[in-house]
Amino acid sequence: MRKLDFYPRLALRSIRLNGKFYLPYLLSGAISAAMLYDILFLNMNRGIYALKGANAVQGLLGFGALVVALFSLALILYTNGFLMKRRQKELGLYNILGMEKRHLGRLLLWEGVYTALICIGGGLLLGILLSKLFLLLLCAIIRTSVPFGFEVPGEAVLYTVVAFGGIYLFTFLLNLFRLGRVKPIELLKGTETGEREPRTKWLLALVGFVTMAAGYYLSVTVQDPLRALGIFFIAVVLVIIGTYCLFIAGSIWVLKALRKNKKFYYQPRHFTNLSGMLHRMKRNGAGLATICILSTMVLVTISTTLCLYAGADRVIGSLYGREVQTYVFGGGPENREKVMAVYEQVLRERGVEGRNLTAFCAYADEPEYNWRTAAAPYFDRGVTEEVLGDPSGQVFFTYVGCDVDKDANTYELRLALESGVNDLCSDPTFAYDRTFTDDGRGDRFDYWSSLGGFFFIGLFLGSLFLMAAVLIVYYKQVSEGYEDVRSFQIMQQVGMTQREVKSSIKSQISLVFFLPLLAAACHTAGAFPMTKLILTLFGLSNTGLFGLCSLVTILIFAVVYYLIYRLTAREYYRIVRR
Amino acid sequence: MSLLEVKNLRKVYTTRLGGTGVEALKNVSFAVEAGEFVAIMGESGSGKTTLLNILAALDRPSGGRVLLNGEDMASVRERDLTAFRRDNLGFVFQDFNLLDAFTVRDNIFLPLVLAGKSYDEMNLRLLPLTKALGIGELLNKFPYELSGGQKQRTAIARALITQPAILLADEPTGALDSKASESLLRVFESLNAQGQTILMVTHSVTAASHAKRTLFLRDGMIYHQLYRGNRTGGEMFAEISNTLTVMTSGSGENGHA
């Protein structure tokens, strides 16, 4: 009986013993699971299905769920790798005390089982508690009423359990595989390996410079919005490669160059800082680059979706100027009168009063993609007589539209107007290329939903990325703390006051910490011209608004980042001061 | 006046709950003259480390005084203590305590850089020192590329570059093989011959037999002392061994009584 529960108990004990490392691991796992559940919940929520125009949102949520699941896998693998490296010594000790590898495997199995239970169970609980909140937020963003009731869709629970069960099974198998390959002495040494002075990797630094410059160049020079969308992904890949190379190799190159300057190097402040930085960059180059990329993802996602959302009123205003509207392409200026007559007749037949009637002819060859936005200024005035562009040219299109009473059914009105216009078209004297009639009120709502959906997904994924960045930062600080304890003691023995050591460490940490933030802000600024073009595809061409949104996002992110820094730096000092 | 005077030194460690204290040092008095090479011997728990920590100003005594050049170390203010230590004392540790992030040269420079000396002056001091210690070739290497003996020589260079009044060594041969130990002790002897005062704490009889005087510490008190005088290393080794035997068996008799 005792033998049976030995491993479960040992597993629980070692989870508790390694609390400093396990707690963030469990917490991030649970939060990821909660987020997956919530996004699945929203995707499957029947209340949202029933809402008109919510299809676009639902599609976006499905895509978001996929991103959350994949990202959770990457995050959990990363933190698990970190955890295992830290625990090698403990496992090595068990090994030497007589536990065979299959016993260690059993220990790992139980640890995995507990981890999965805690994360999936806790995550589902948290997710269910937060689901209503997310529903309220989503409904507020897409401006619809909140569906009543509280539900826990079985499918969402099932998918979450399956996804995270799979993730934890995979990490367990990976750990087992790793365990099988190491020798006991390596287990025991574990964290102490890899103390070499970094060699300058010229090639890597060069590749970094070139790819980074190419990425920025693409972003700044691209002109065509449709091409920008394709180029965006190429530029993103280039900048990611560049960031990794420069953080890993470029930083060391710069620091070594500084160290060559004897006058600069051999000063109390620079001496310890430069060497410390070199040491840190060697270990953390990749980690810092990851933090930088994640931060950039947060910044770009949130700033663009925020801008889309903030500018939605204008975009929608320009796309659907009136609650019912008709476009007739081609033909001559006489079309305006004819379509207006159709409107008058249909409105009279149905007993609907038309307000803000707007009708005009637009001349000349406007570029295809923004002919709708070009008409926007006319909607504010309700003009019926004016023409757009140079009347000596050709009629590009004719517009007629009006607003109607609140209780009028715009969907049916649109059908009636459409058939009226079709009757007009069957008359051979009516010249035209093509024509369409919009239910502006309904389409406005659809558009709102999809832009709101974008914004919601942006916020949702942005907070997931932020959590990942926080986690990596935390682990980095804590592990460095343990590694620095010795150096800290030696420096005091050799003649540094506690205060000097503290200020030296502080400047190193803050530099290492804020470098990724700085680079992320830089990347966001570099991506600005390109993302601005992509936004015009959504009908948004307000550079000032986008600039403001980016700035606000960066500022808020910087504040959050600083708070994280304060928290983790405190943890670091607590470790080092012992 | 002696270079270092220790008078009626006491150190009591009390547990956190304030129960009965443990007396690590009971009543220790001795003096070290300039130019001496003194070894302090004793088993684990005899109070060696406590004594060294107090001499190094890393710990404060419960009673008694430590005078360096006639100045009472208790009168040095807390925040001047680091500078005081840097200017007057050099340290050599059992496990070298070199920083992996620095080259050998920079490890040696560390105390001087902290004291704000110029690069030229540091270089000037470095050359004769590294020559004497035989590490002139290793200056650009990193600690993990060195052997134990080379690491300890680097640590000695770091301790001596500030030209301290006393070199304090805590089990300097503890992590070295016999060959490296022997050559390190010869370095100590030649440094001493040039006038460097050395105080070494050890429990290796070989190490102690190289010193000019050996103090024996037991249960927090000076039990005995031996002067080397004109004796050879071998004779000194035998003498120290005898003293240790008497000291250890003596404690056994006390235990039976």
Side-chain angles (χ1 to χ4, degrees), chain A residues 195-197 259 262 265-268 271-272 275 279 486-487 490-497 500, chain B residues 82 85-86 91 93 95 97-102 105-106 109-111 113-114 116 119 122 142 144 158:
Chain A
E195 292 284 341
R196 309 256 128 184
E197 157 96 349
R259 201 172 62 170
K262 299 261 190 272
Y265 178 47
Y266 288 107
Q267 280 178 26
F271 189 61
T272 46
S275 310
H279 216 54
R486 217 175 98 84
S487 315
I490 295 175
M491 288 205 198
Q492 276 178 304
Q493 283 165 343
V494 183
M496 226 170 163
T497 62
E500 279 172 328
Chain B
T82 310
R85 212 181 292 145
R86 196 168 57 207
F91 296 95
F93 304 91
D95 47 3
N97 281 0
L98 298 176
L99 289 167
D100 281 332
F102 290 110
R105 175 188 281 111
D106 292 346
F109 277 168
L110 188 61
V113 174
L114 295 177
Y119 176 67
M122 293 192 281
F142 281 86
Y144 50 79
R158 185 180 64 186

Side-chain angles (χ1 to χ4, degrees), chain A residues 479-532:
Chain A
S479 65
E480 267 189 23
Y482 283 112
E483 282 159 11
D484 289 347
V485 171
R486 217 175 98 84
S487 315
F488 190 82
Q489 285 169 347
I490 295 175
M491 288 205 198
Q492 276 178 304
Q493 283 165 343
V494 183
M496 226 170 163
T497 62
Q498 186 130 17
R499 202 177 331 143
E500 279 172 328
V501 175
K502 196 172 173 182
S503 82
S504 153
I505 283 180
K506 192 172 182 177
S507 61
Q508 285 175 49
I509 298 186
S510 51
L511 198 61
V512 166
F513 211 82
F514 289 108
L515 207 62
L517 180 65
L518 206 70
C522 229
H523 287 348
T524 312
F528 190 85
M530 194 162 38
T531 31
K532 192 185 80 187

Side-chain angles (χ1 to χ4, degrees), chain B:
Chain B
M1 187 185 65
S2 304
L3 177 61
L4 178 76
E5 276 181 87
V6 176
K7 290 181 178 167
N8 306 95
L9 203 61
R10 278 184 68 236
K11 178 70 189 179
V12 181
Y13 287 110
T14 43
T15 53
R16 209 178 298 165
L17 294 171
T20 47
V22 178
E23 213 169 16
L25 295 177
K26 280 174 186 155
N27 186 0
V28 176
S29 299
F30 65 92
V32 177
E33 305 298 328
E36 262 201 296
F37 181 4
V38 179
I40 296 178
M41 287 203 75
E43 301 203 356
S44 349
S46 61
K48 276 179 306 173
T49 311
T50 310
L51 178 62
L52 198 75
N53 280 344
I54 292 174
L55 294 183
L58 291 167
D59 205 350
R60 297 267 183 180
S62 313
R65 294 199 297 166
V66 179
L67 304 177
L68 186 70
N69 276 324
E71 188 185 356
D72 191 345
M73 273 171 41
S75 68
V76 181
R77 280 180 305 169
E78 190 72 41
R79 58 189 178 135
D80 297 332
L81 216 51
T82 310
F84 174 83
R85 212 181 292 145
R86 196 168 57 207
D87 295 340
N88 295 296
L89 307 168
F91 296 95
V92 176
F93 304 91
Q94 174 174 358
D95 47 3
F96 325 126
N97 281 0
L98 298 176
L99 289 167
D100 281 332
F102 290 110
T103 58
V104 167
R105 175 188 281 111
D106 292 346
N107 261 299
I108 299 172
F109 277 168
L110 188 61
L112 288 185
V113 174
L114 295 177
K117 295 279 189 288
S118 77
Y119 176 67
D120 294 334
E121 190 187 339
M122 293 192 281
N123 240 348
L124 222 59
R125 289 201 200 176
L126 182 71
L127 285 172
L129 205 55
T130 50
K131 211 168 176 188
L133 290 166
I135 50 172
E137 311 283 297
L138 309 172
L139 289 177
N140 289 324
K141 300 215 168 193
F142 281 86
Y144 50 79
E145 296 171 297
L146 304 183
S147 71
Q150 290 169 332
K151 279 186 199 170
Q152 198 58 297
R153 283 156 192 261
T154 306
I156 293 171
R158 185 180 64 186
L160 290 180
I161 200 157
T162 55
Q163 298 162 346
I166 294 193
L167 179 68
L168 295 174
D170 185 4
E171 299 278 8
T173 58
L176 302 180
D177 61 45
S178 62
K179 208 173 149 199
S181 293
E182 195 58 38
S183 101
L184 182 88
L185 289 163
R186 230 166 270 135
V187 166
F188 272 13
E189 276 182 329
S190 81
L191 285 172
N192 179 240
Q194 290 160 35
Q196 177 67 49
T197 314
I198 300 173
L199 183 72
M200 171 175 70
V201 166
T202 182
H203 60 237
S204 147
V205 179
T206 320
S209 66
H210 284 260
K212 283 187 184 165
R213 176 157 66 113
T214 304
L215 295 169
F216 295 89
L217 203 62
R218 201 185 82 183
D219 298 334
M221 299 209 288
I222 301 282
Y223 175 84
H224 188 58
Q225 67 171 325
L226 280 176
Y227 280 93
R228 179 163 168 181
N230 292 323
R231 276 176 277 208
T232 63
E235 286 166 348
M236 194 63 186
F237 186 95
E239 194 75 26
I240 293 172
S241 301
N242 285 339
T243 310
L244 284 177
T245 315
V246 171
M247 194 161 90
T248 322
S249 55
S251 90
E253 276 163 26
N254 284 350
H256 286 297

Side-chain angles (χ1 to χ4, degrees), chain A residues 185-203:
Chain A
I185 193 74
E186 286 172 10
L187 277 180
L188 208 55
K189 273 186 185 161
T191 43
E192 284 161 27
T193 50
E195 292 284 341
R196 309 256 128 184
E197 157 96 349
R199 220 174 274 138
T200 316
K201 293 166 188 138
W202 285 103
L203 194 66

